[in-house]
Amino acid sequence: MADDKKTLTTGFGMPVDNDLDSMTAGPKGPVLVEDAHLFEKLAHFDRERIPERVVHAKGAGAHGYFEVSRDVTKHTRAKFLSEVGKKTEVFVRFSTVGGERGSADSERDPRGFAVKFYTEEGNYDMVGNNTPVFFIRDPLKFPDFIHTQKRNPATNLKDPDMFWDFLSLTPESIHQVTILFSDRGTPRSYRNMNGHSSHTYMWYNAKGEYCWIKYHFKTEQGIRNFDGPEADRMRGIDPDVTTRDLFQAIARGEHPAWRVEVQIMTPEQAKDYRFDPFDVTKVWPHADVPPVVIGRMVLDRNPENYFAEVEQAAFSPGNFVPGIGPSPDKMLQGRLFSYHDTHRHRLGPNYHLLPINAPKAAPMESYQRDGAMRFDGNGGGGPNYWPNSFGGPAPDAGFALPAIDVAGTAARHAYTLGDVDFVQAGALYRKVMTDTDREHLVANIVGHLKGAQKRIQLRQTALFTKADAEYGWRVAKGLGLDGDEVKRLAAMSQEDRVKATAA
Ligand code: NDP
């Protein structure tokens, strides 16, 4: 027998004599309960699936590194950013958002772009998307929004009425809708798309001086998208096209890379900025806040086991390291809670101990104890409370976030919809998109919106008109709507428009 030949065992390490024939009473007889191996095998199999993520269920991931290329120490004390040339190990997970775990990769959807930096000060997660903005800016709307992107409760089918009803009643979504229905809503591969933090974050230096920043990961492979018909076809030809592409490219030694940029805004600039700089439905125009390159991210290693490394990977925008903190962005504030919470549901309270989620370059010295599946030493015999005088780990006030002024009346403050909410969608359509981009955008919208009721088509097309008159006119034409009626609706307040298009 060769030395490396392994004997099959049960999950508890007992050798197994036969893994093909169940133990039965006679050759044709019923199965015996004493076949512990059979029942252990079936019982474990029955429990193989964990709850899929309620959003971002279908994804692919890879390992790699981030390397600093610019001195940013005057802005942040983060150690992983402290030196030009410094490298930090990362794990990245890309995903679609609305589809189930088996759904097609070429669905029109934003793409998740989540990066875990294993730094010496703990794990830092940048949990972004391939779009620089989002549909909504208040987390209270998030569960409703996601319901409309998923399946109708009666038919269990995707439903254009739900989809467009919500969006047309949520006009701040217009910017993200315009990006989503451009060909950037169907990237050809995960390698060929950008990543954005979308949110604003705080960076602060060793002196406690802070600034506001946004991250952009720019693909070195170039942007490449499917157009609408190609994406439709690809759903049938290869539903796993982007998952396959990422794995195979890395296996071939083609390691995708992104240029990492930040936009930096001073607190003084933010105070008097012409719109709320923490509103995630808006970008910071480059002319106001030019991006600077701070480093490069490379993915060079595939996971060895999808479940262990990709399915169990758990990211949270609440995982910060000293030098980086949150901003008052309301959507971000909601996410700070929600991500950890969903992982506790999906993976259990000790999910941070799983190898893919545990800090690799920093010690973990907390007083958290017990809970389901606590599989490390659980703190051994050391103290499990703070304060203690038995040498347990102590908090260090030197790591405090800078104090920022927060004041105001406690109430449910609504964002007032203003014309400023339509400006950036209009600029994207007019100034950034090419003729082909605009043509595809209109065709992609018409192909989807035509499935909704006419009154919803009218309400949504009025929003496109508010972003840009030609944009709205072309969508109206494609849908066969009365252009004058759309213009009349576009001139109304949102409240009147909703009344005029009520069921
Ligand atoms: P700029 O001309 O300086 O930047 C335009 C940006 O748009 C570039 O970052 C470009 O970078 C990106 N872009 C190009 N084509 C598309 C597309 N079809 N869909 C989405 N993004 C695209 O202008 P501004 O900074 O003044 O922004 C103008 C508009 O550009 C914004 O209203 C916004 O819609 C969009 N945009 C702006 C970003 C920002 O951070 N300022 C970031 C991304 C988009 P790339 O091709 O590398 O993505």
Side-chain angles (χ1 to χ4, degrees), residues 157-484:
L157 297 170
K158 296 277 179 78
D159 185 336
D161 278 340
M162 286 165 57
F163 187 99
W164 292 106
D165 192 31
F166 181 87
L167 292 175
S168 62
L169 293 171
T170 311
E172 67 267 29
S173 62
I174 190 72
H175 192 188
Q176 175 79 322
V177 166
T178 302
I179 296 173
L180 179 66
F181 278 85
S182 77
D183 288 342
R184 293 202 179 198
T186 49
R188 191 167 278 269
S189 87
Y190 290 132
R191 295 184 293 148
N192 294 107
M193 65 184 203
N194 293 336
H196 304 269
S197 60
S198 316
H199 298 295
T200 298
Y201 289 97
M202 177 196 273
W203 266 9
Y204 57 95
N205 64 19
K207 289 188 252 167
E209 297 158 338
Y210 69 91
C211 57
W212 303 115
I213 61 115
K214 283 180 186 284
Y215 298 100
H216 305 278
F217 290 64
K218 296 296 191 89
T219 171
E220 291 185 4
Q221 293 68 240
I223 298 275
R224 290 183 70 214
N225 303 305
F226 290 123
D227 65 24
E230 280 174 331
D232 287 346
R233 275 199 302 278
M234 197 48 73
R235 287 207 289 271
I237 294 171
D238 184 358
D240 303 314
V241 58
T242 57
T243 306
R244 188 184 317 282
D245 174 86
L246 182 69
F247 194 94
Q248 291 185 343
I250 293 174
R252 283 195 303 271
E254 289 173 33
H255 299 155
W258 285 260
R259 200 171 66 244
V260 183
E261 300 177 350
V262 289
Q263 288 179 287
I264 304 177
M265 191 184 271
T266 64
E268 295 71 40
Q269 259 179 304
K271 213 156 50 185
D272 301 320
Y273 200 56
R274 62 179 185 283
F275 56 82
D276 177 1
F278 308 116
D279 172 356
V280 71
T281 67
K282 295 182 181 58
V283 297
W284 295 348
H286 294 147
D288 293 357
V289 193
V292 290
V293 180
I294 62 157
R296 184 167 186 258
M297 182 176 81
V298 179
L299 297 182
D300 57 5
R301 184 161 60 88
N302 276 321
E304 279 175 24
N305 185 282
Y306 181 87
F307 183 86
E309 291 156 76
V310 186
E311 188 62 6
Q312 293 198 120
F315 299 83
S316 169
N319 285 345
F320 293 114
V321 290
I324 308 176
S327 78
D329 176 336
K330 295 183 192 182
M331 257 319 282
L332 170 63
Q333 297 275 323
R335 294 178 75 207
L336 296 178
F337 158 74
S338 216
Y339 279 66
H340 281 306
D341 191 53
T342 198
H343 298 315
R344 283 180 204 111
H345 162 66
R346 204 167 63 83
L347 299 163
N350 285 312
Y351 75 92
H352 59 290
L353 300 176
L354 292 166
I356 193 69
N357 299 325
K360 285 184 202 240
M364 184 171 38
E365 301 281 5
S366 88
Y367 292 107
Q368 290 171 12
R369 294 289 187 273
D370 307 355
M373 306 303 286
R374 181 81 201 211
F375 52 82
D376 65 348
N378 196 28
N384 60 359
Y385 59 93
W386 177 259
N388 69 70
S389 57
F390 289 96
D396 180 343
F399 289 116
L401 277 174
I404 59 165
D405 278 339
V406 180
T409 46
R412 296 194 183 276
H413 296 282
Y415 256 110
T416 344
L417 182 75
D419 284 344
V420 69
D421 288 318
F422 297 91
V423 168
Q424 295 193 344
L428 176 63
Y429 179 84
R430 277 188 306 275
K431 295 200 217 145
V432 180
M433 288 187 173
T434 62
D435 285 345
T436 309
D437 290 338
R438 282 187 282 265
E439 200 182 297
H440 289 192
L441 169 71
V442 171
N444 292 337
I445 291 172
V446 169
H448 196 289
L449 184 51
K450 71 174 188 222
Q453 295 176 17
K454 189 167 167 208
R455 66 188 180 87
I456 297 174
Q457 293 180 9
L458 284 164
R459 197 196 293 145
Q460 181 63 41
T461 307
L463 299 183
F464 295 130
T465 306
K466 284 184 73 67
D468 181 275
E470 187 210 74
Y471 180 14
W473 178 80
R474 287 172 72 173
V475 173
K477 196 160 158 255
L479 290 167
L481 299 175
D482 174 351
D484 289 336

Side-chain angles (χ1 to χ4, degrees), residues 100 150-159 162:
E100 299 85 0
K150 291 191 173 261
R151 293 173 185 275
N152 178 294
T155 61
N156 200 34
L157 297 170
K158 296 277 179 78
D159 185 336
M162 286 165 57

